[in-house]
Amino acid sequence: MAEDHGPTVRDDKLYEDLRRDGASKEKAARIANAKAAGTLAHRGTQLEDRSKADLLKEAREIGIDGRSKMDKGDLVRAIRAG
């Protein structure tokens, strides 16, 4: 069972998995909370099917640095790298 990280982290197990994979505390919390809130739901089934605006929004939500200078392909790769 995942440790309780308090009210600021909504999905403790995902948070711990992300931290174990090397994500910072802030990034892991953002992703875990976005997933728990359902805001990481994709309109398209493939990232390549989504608009650049949608990809930029998701990149902002998960805290990808340098996203404003990325083209659509770079955004897809960065989101997949998580």
Side-chain angles (χ1 to χ4, degrees):
M1 178 145 195
E3 177 183 331
D4 182 9
H5 295 282
T8 59
V9 176
R10 296 182 190 161
D11 186 334
D12 293 310
K13 180 172 180 349
L14 179 57
Y15 174 83
E16 288 177 7
D17 291 344
L18 291 165
R19 289 288 293 145
R20 195 174 13 261
D21 289 340
S24 69
K25 290 180 181 180
E26 293 82 11
K27 184 175 182 178
R30 280 194 304 269
I31 293 170
N33 290 341
K35 177 84 170 176
T39 58
L40 290 181
H42 302 184
R43 283 193 266 174
T45 57
Q46 298 289 323
L47 289 174
E48 291 83 1
D49 294 338
R50 299 173 61 200
S51 70
K52 183 177 178 185
D54 285 343
L55 295 171
L56 279 168
K57 181 180 177 191
E58 183 166 340
R60 181 177 54 249
E61 288 172 358
I62 61 177
I64 294 173
D65 293 330
R67 63 189 173 269
S68 63
K69 296 178 181 163
M70 293 181 184
D71 63 21
K72 188 173 176 178
D74 292 334
L75 286 166
V76 168
R77 285 186 289 281
I79 290 169
R80 284 196 174 123

